[in-house]
Amino acid sequence: MSETSPDGQTTTRLCAVGQDATHEPADQLFYLVDKSTLLAVPKAAMQNLLTEMRHLEGVVEAQQIAVADLKAAQEEYIHVMQGDGIDPEARARRETADSPEELARQVRLAQVALDKANKALRETINPLTPLNDDTNHIQEMIPLQRRGAPCSQVGFRLAYARSQALDDAWPRYRPASAPTDNADGLLSGGRIDWDTLKRQLDAINSDTRIKQDVPWFEDWLKLEDQDKELFQWSARLNEDLDATSSHQSGGDHEAGSVKVDLSGEAQLMRWSYGASGLAGDADPLAREGNIKASGHAALTLAQAKGSIECYEPPGGYMMAFAGMNLGMLRSHTFLNVAGGVGASVAAELNLDVQFNGDGARARGIEGSTSDNGLPGGKVIDMATPEAEQGTELKAFAGGELEVTVGGQIEWKNPEVDEFAPFAKIVPALGAQIGAGAEATLIISYQGGKFQIKAKAAFCYGVGAKGSLALEVDGDLIVEFVLWVAYQLKNIDYSRLEFIDEQAFEALSNIVALALESGKELKKFMLDSTRAIENYAQDTWYQIESGVEAADRRARLAGRINADPDLLKYTSPDTKGQLIHQLIQTNAADIVDPRGQEWNPLDSAFWKAGVLTTRKEAIIRIFTWVQSQAEFDNIMQRVIPTIGGPTIGTEEGKRRVQAFLDMGEVDWPVVSFFYTDFDGNLQRFYEHLRPTASKGTPIVANDMTEYLSQSDIAPSFDRPCFNETQCHVDSTTRTA
């Protein structure tokens, strides 16, 4: 808007605050970034140009405000719907919060508002030409104030206009000596060289045209450097660059390797991230602003880079496979975005992610937040191919800078009602998975790690397109075991179609071998250097047939009896195989004193019986069975090796019963003085639920909690939020 100074001189202040100009504008000079050019705008055209600049600022501002409003509405809804979660602040807020119905209405209204704001932004971007065509692009400009008075907190003001709004008839002043490569012509060692810029301005001043057209420019040049907007611009961008590069790697950089970016792509991104400052009051160097419905972007102004940390989708989503709901998922990711690709991520509501083996390629694609529904309310079937991708605005086409994507996929653990990570994104795996590359979700085991190939919706929820790769290493193996255990429980221990047979056998073997070795699961996985299949075969052979077989069986039973919780998250395959090892006997087993119970507090100590500690270990395995279906599954896998040919349920029961019958008698009165392990098996089966409950914690089946569990936990599909530590390399997090 324009202001009249005390001396009666009219100046133009480009601090858009949503007010119409009330005074006649004056001629105005703008420095065109990347052009080494000054643009003189006649006062008769200033009002239209101000309208253009305010419009470009306004559509970005409106979208960012709408994003913030939706995020706030979603967070409030999640806190209330989370029920009796662990967050005391959330419980306190629920006492005074609106009803869930009212909060849901507010979320839907905020979604409609964001879709409307994003539509207006897209309509503004739509006329722009591709990045390699500057016919009509976003032009970044710095207004020169007639008296050198700063109009923002940083002493300079970034303004934006579409180049077609800049009339070719308006005078332009450019020194003949200006370099052709405008993007780097002002840079020295990657920083803006003020001396070079000043020489260009002096050369422009020698042009007789500007002396006639803009007589006040010569007086502006005489100002002290610190009073010039262009000096403030160059100085602050250099400071921003230095601060960012120092933060990235301790300041150790080859000269010029990190540099200020003045390119057209950079200008487009700075505009789309609100660098002109919301309502004219924000400092673009503060590097703060919202992006997407649940993310935060820190903008590095000098390099036009953004670092986005986000939890997607807000509250999580229900993952299904072939129509069966399996539990809540979300992602915690970091995206480093730059240039035109970064601009597309800011301007759109959905994400397309692709991995090519060398890195990640991402872009924004057209979407609608209204399609996402309420937080936690969407179900995504990972067995269903993704829908056709959204369109990309031509203004972003040809962007050369790729997006660095790092992060993890997280599941809602029903034991704590919180999200926790179980696999992390690894871009380099994209070209290595091979088999099943076109699958919507497949888990394999290669190179000592579990690898996941999935459509992007697996991480980012509704609307995300493309494909990604994840892996499970030693740091995440425990949580991965828990996730698989609960997936099995949620489908009542039928086949998990998205885990290939080799991977499932490897996981079952890893858990069983860790139990047998007495090592923690993470340490065992990190220490295992041989192929797990060969290692497993050697180990199970030694336990069953080796010289020290009886000793190893006794130690395995001892570990199970000392810590029954070891069996809590084991698969039916692992349970069946461990039972098979425990029912093997030879002469050494019978005479081994560790086979008998020596604790006088245990009833088995006072009764006659054979291999009582071994039988106790088997019964402890059965205490973690969650349904009759799992029991039958286990009995089919009482076999020497995991993954071997299965047997019938009755044959498995016969083998186990035969071991439990050893040394027992079934005579009236006399049997009271003997252990009764042989009678426990059928009682266990009859005590079990016919079908495992879904979304409830895994608990021992001899507990009241087991019998009282609902068929489906009330919190199974309930959204929740908690912060997590991201298991990605620190360089991935740095913009």
Side-chain angles (χ1 to χ4, degrees), residues 70-82:
L70 177 57
K71 180 181 178 183
Q74 289 171 329
E75 287 179 348
E76 192 68 19
Y77 177 83
I78 291 169
H79 278 302
V80 171
M81 294 302 294
Q82 197 165 354

Side-chain angles (χ1 to χ4, degrees), residues 266-285:
Q267 295 174 49
L268 177 64
M269 178 164 171
R270 279 191 285 263
W271 163 68
S272 63
Y273 279 69
S276 56
L278 302 187
D281 298 323
D283 181 351
L285 286 150

Side-chain angles (χ1 to χ4, degrees), residues 122-358:
R122 286 181 61 87
E123 289 175 349
T124 299
I125 297 173
N126 193 55
L128 298 177
T129 51
L131 289 165
N132 57 3
D133 179 0
D134 62 1
T135 303
N136 187 30
H137 57 85
I138 294 294
Q139 178 63 60
E140 192 172 61
M141 308 184 294
I142 303 167
L144 274 57
Q145 300 303 311
R146 181 173 299 204
R147 295 188 300 115
C151 77
S152 75
Q153 300 174 26
V154 289
F156 69 92
R157 168 76 171 163
L158 290 175
Y160 296 90
R162 287 166 290 193
S163 55
Q164 284 189 351
L166 306 180
D167 197 320
D168 291 339
W170 295 345
R172 287 169 170 78
Y173 310 97
R174 185 174 186 274
S177 59
T180 303
D181 185 359
N182 298 307
D184 293 332
L186 285 181
L187 304 185
S188 176
R191 306 166 87 251
I192 297 177
D193 189 330
W194 170 248
D195 290 336
T196 298
L197 178 55
K198 192 173 183 179
R199 285 195 298 271
Q200 291 182 3
L201 296 172
D202 288 337
I204 289 174
N205 189 48
S206 65
D207 189 331
T208 56
R209 293 182 304 143
I210 198 169
K211 293 181 181 295
Q212 285 184 329
D213 298 340
V214 192
W216 57 264
F217 177 65
E218 187 168 11
D219 291 334
W220 181 87
L221 280 177
K222 294 176 182 178
L223 294 171
E224 296 293 331
D225 284 349
Q226 61 269 20
D227 292 330
K228 294 186 178 79
E229 297 80 1
L230 286 182
F231 176 82
Q232 292 290 339
W233 168 72
S234 65
R236 292 301 300 274
L237 256 63
N238 288 339
E239 291 172 8
D240 188 49
L241 180 74
D242 292 342
T244 302
S245 60
S246 176
H247 171 71
Q248 286 177 346
S249 58
D252 297 328
H253 285 280
E254 182 181 346
S257 61
V258 177
K259 63 182 182 179
V260 173
D261 192 347
L262 303 179
S263 67
E265 282 196 59
Q267 295 174 49
L268 177 64
M269 178 164 171
R270 279 191 285 263
W271 163 68
S272 63
Y273 279 69
S276 56
L278 302 187
D281 298 323
D283 181 351
L285 286 150
R287 295 186 291 168
E288 293 182 354
N290 288 304
I291 180 171
K292 294 184 72 67
S294 60
H296 177 266
L299 176 65
T300 303
L301 196 72
Q303 294 178 287
K305 290 185 177 181
S307 177
I308 306 165
E309 179 180 4
C310 56
Y311 295 92
E312 288 286 347
Y317 73 91
M318 175 62 67
M319 186 193 99
F321 198 90
M324 184 169 291
N325 291 354
L326 296 177
M328 301 287 286
L329 294 184
R330 74 169 188 189
S331 67
H332 179 188
T333 54
F334 289 86
L335 285 79
N336 288 342
V337 294
V341 176
S344 76
V345 172
E348 301 286 13
L349 299 178
N350 282 335
L351 197 65
D352 176 17
V353 181
Q354 297 287 345
F355 292 93
N356 58 16
D358 299 321

